[in-house]
Amino acid sequence: MKRKSLFRLLTTILGVLLATALIAAGCGDDDEDTTSTTAAPTTTAAPAEDPIHIGLVYDIGGRGDQSFNDSAAEGIERAEADFGITFDEVSPNDDGSNRGNLLNLQSDNADLVFGIGFLFADDMKDVAAANPDTCFGIVDGFIEEATDNVAMLLFAEHEGSFLVGAAAALKTQTNRLGFIGGVNNELIQRFEAGFTAGAEAINPNIQIDSQYITEPPNFDGFNDPAGARVISERMYSDGADIIYHAAGGSGAGLFEAAKEYSDTNESKVWAIGVNSDQYNTVDESLREFILTSMLKRVDVSVYDTIAAANTGDCLSGAQTFNLASDGVGYSTTGGFVDDIADQLDEFKQQIIDGEIEVPDTV
């Protein structure tokens, strides 16, 4: 916990003890005064500790992306309800060039600061080193030689993607699937690797059409619904009937394409969401086209880090969230995978037990 919070607490406790001592002195016996001055007994609870304050810096797109950022928001709102914490949330500009400034501003007042996304890594390394009394958490980012006040919140995306890949292979009518990645980097390739492995576990000969919206250093692919829609339309036209995206806010374009293609061709196609349960975040008219979602529990990582800080524990180093810890998984909302849930859960247990080793590279 930040030292200024501890200072406030110690100051409050000292003030209460001093006031108690003065009252006790004033109520001492006085042989010349026979009038009772003793007040009725009262019980004074120990002063409550000031709630910790959190600074949350979203990735580009901010709250409302129906995916990565919204999952982080869910975690901090649950922590607010459970622990009474306070928080400020901000989003970077369109090119993300002010990430470092936002981290610095949040660290001025916060006990714990989050950077939601791996692109915060370089800035967080510097800001955390300059603010040793503040705790930091970065989602998806690994910082070499990070200071001991940084928690790196990492996920086994490939494990959760394996399950939705298996679901797609079990549900496809054309034996052709699609994968859309936001940006072609190692992180998003883990989603593709797991999805491919899960689908091929059902059908080794299944066809998977993969395409990324942008290449580094262009990270606009995480906030480009129009680009995802164009790719989706092409994949559906080429015969894919289920497409999985790992593209953040761009996934909205996939969902729209699934509905339009189904309505136009009177042939049902599906989309698979990512990060949050996207059946619950999209417009009601799109829900019937979301087969399932790969759940990447950013909300759990944010909540757990806040829970630790709330008890004075600043998490440090790599914290991995996988199938065994329910850090990743798949959604059943809508009931579209209820008939294959037993098979998916069997795969899940085999992965947890080490009987299946899911690849994390393509």
Side-chain angles (χ1 to χ4, degrees), residues 212-272:
Y212 289 82
I213 301 174
T214 61
E215 298 284 331
N218 181 0
F219 291 93
D220 292 345
F222 291 127
N223 194 29
D224 184 8
R229 182 166 184 163
V230 170
I231 295 172
S232 304
E233 290 170 348
R234 196 265 307 162
M235 288 182 175
Y236 287 134
S237 295
D238 287 348
D241 61 347
I242 303 175
I243 300 174
Y244 172 42
H245 87 92
S250 300
L254 165 62
F255 306 143
E256 293 168 357
K259 181 182 188 306
E260 181 179 354
Y261 186 90
S262 297
D263 291 347
T264 301
N265 295 276
E266 297 182 352
S267 176
K268 181 68 171 288
V269 296
W270 297 93
I272 296 177

Side-chain angles (χ1 to χ4, degrees), residues 174-234:
T174 65
N175 289 318
R176 188 177 181 110
L177 310 176
F179 172 81
I180 299 176
V183 179
N184 189 7
N185 59 24
E186 290 184 4
L187 172 62
I188 305 305
Q189 288 169 8
R190 292 207 291 268
F191 292 82
E192 180 186 359
F195 180 73
T196 299
E200 291 181 346
I202 301 299
N203 179 2
N205 299 315
I206 199 165
Q207 297 181 61
I208 301 177
D209 186 352
S210 297
Q211 185 173 340
Y212 289 82
I213 301 174
T214 61
E215 298 284 331
N218 181 0
F219 291 93
D220 292 345
F222 291 127
N223 194 29
D224 184 8
R229 182 166 184 163
V230 170
I231 295 172
S232 304
E233 290 170 348
R234 196 265 307 162

Side-chain angles (χ1 to χ4, degrees), residues 22-270:
L22 290 174
I23 291 171
C27 293
D29 291 337
D30 188 341
D31 292 338
E32 297 181 1
D33 184 1
T34 59
T35 304
S36 174
T37 59
T38 304
T42 59
T43 301
T44 303
E49 182 178 343
D50 288 344
I52 63 172
H53 184 70
I54 312 298
L56 182 68
V57 186
Y58 291 115
D59 204 352
I60 293 173
R63 183 190 281 260
D65 70 342
Q66 300 181 347
S67 184
F68 191 68
N69 290 319
D70 280 356
S71 186
E74 182 182 343
I76 201 166
E77 287 175 352
R78 186 153 58 93
E80 180 187 34
D82 289 353
F83 308 128
I85 58 100
T86 59
F87 68 92
D88 290 322
E89 56 182 24
V90 292
S91 301
N93 51 23
D94 289 343
D95 63 3
S97 59
N98 64 339
R99 285 187 177 91
N101 290 336
L102 294 178
L103 289 175
N104 264 315
L105 288 172
Q106 291 297 310
S107 65
D108 286 343
N109 298 306
D111 301 288
L112 168 63
V113 177
F114 287 99
I116 308 302
F118 65 91
L119 291 172
F120 284 92
D122 290 341
D123 290 319
M124 184 169 287
K125 180 177 181 179
D126 295 336
V127 175
N131 294 273
D133 296 330
T134 303
C135 300
F136 291 84
I138 179 169
V139 173
D140 282 343
F142 187 84
I143 302 175
E144 296 286 351
E145 299 178 354
T147 49
D148 61 7
N149 58 333
V150 177
M152 294 168 280
L153 311 177
L154 308 173
F155 297 83
E157 297 93 351
H158 54 300
E159 292 183 356
S161 295
F162 183 101
L163 299 182
V164 297
L170 288 166
K171 287 289 189 175
T172 180
Q173 299 296 310
T174 65
N175 289 318
R176 188 177 181 110
L177 310 176
F179 172 81
I180 299 176
V183 179
N184 189 7
N185 59 24
E186 290 184 4
L187 172 62
I188 305 305
Q189 288 169 8
R190 292 207 291 268
F191 292 82
E192 180 186 359
F195 180 73
T196 299
E200 291 181 346
I202 301 299
N203 179 2
N205 299 315
I206 199 165
Q207 297 181 61
I208 301 177
D209 186 352
S210 297
Q211 185 173 340
Y212 289 82
I213 301 174
T214 61
E215 298 284 331
N218 181 0
F219 291 93
D220 292 345
F222 291 127
N223 194 29
D224 184 8
R229 182 166 184 163
V230 170
I231 295 172
S232 304
E233 290 170 348
R234 196 265 307 162
M235 288 182 175
Y236 287 134
S237 295
D238 287 348
D241 61 347
I242 303 175
I243 300 174
Y244 172 42
H245 87 92
S250 300
L254 165 62
F255 306 143
E256 293 168 357
K259 181 182 188 306
E260 181 179 354
Y261 186 90
S262 297
D263 291 347
T264 301
N265 295 276
E266 297 182 352
S267 176
K268 181 68 171 288
V269 296
W270 297 93

Side-chain angles (χ1 to χ4, degrees), residues 348-357:
K348 175 181 177 179
Q349 193 59 50
Q350 289 175 329
I351 294 170
I352 293 172
D353 292 342
E355 297 174 19
I356 294 177
E357 184 174 348

Side-chain angles (χ1 to χ4, degrees), residues 232-348:
S232 304
E233 290 170 348
R234 196 265 307 162
M235 288 182 175
Y236 287 134
S237 295
D238 287 348
D241 61 347
I242 303 175
I243 300 174
Y244 172 42
H245 87 92
S250 300
L254 165 62
F255 306 143
E256 293 168 357
K259 181 182 188 306
E260 181 179 354
Y261 186 90
S262 297
D263 291 347
T264 301
N265 295 276
E266 297 182 352
S267 176
K268 181 68 171 288
V269 296
W270 297 93
I272 296 177
V274 75
N275 295 329
S276 59
D277 186 349
Q278 297 205 277
Y279 179 96
N280 292 324
T281 61
V282 300
D283 185 83
E284 187 174 354
S285 65
L286 301 175
R287 290 178 177 173
E288 65 178 290
F289 304 99
I290 298 181
L291 179 67
T292 181
S293 295
M294 196 287 279
L295 302 177
K296 179 174 176 178
R297 301 300 302 274
V298 176
D299 59 319
V300 171
S301 70
V302 168
Y303 180 89
D304 286 356
T305 306
I306 295 173
N310 195 55
T311 63
D313 184 11
C314 187
L315 294 185
S316 179
Q319 311 287 323
T320 301
F321 298 83
N322 56 18
L323 279 178
S325 63
D326 286 328
V328 294
Y330 72 96
S331 68
T332 59
T333 313
F336 305 126
V337 295
D338 286 355
D339 58 326
I340 60 172
D342 288 346
Q343 292 168 270
L344 299 181
D345 289 343
E346 183 177 348
F347 276 130
K348 175 181 177 179

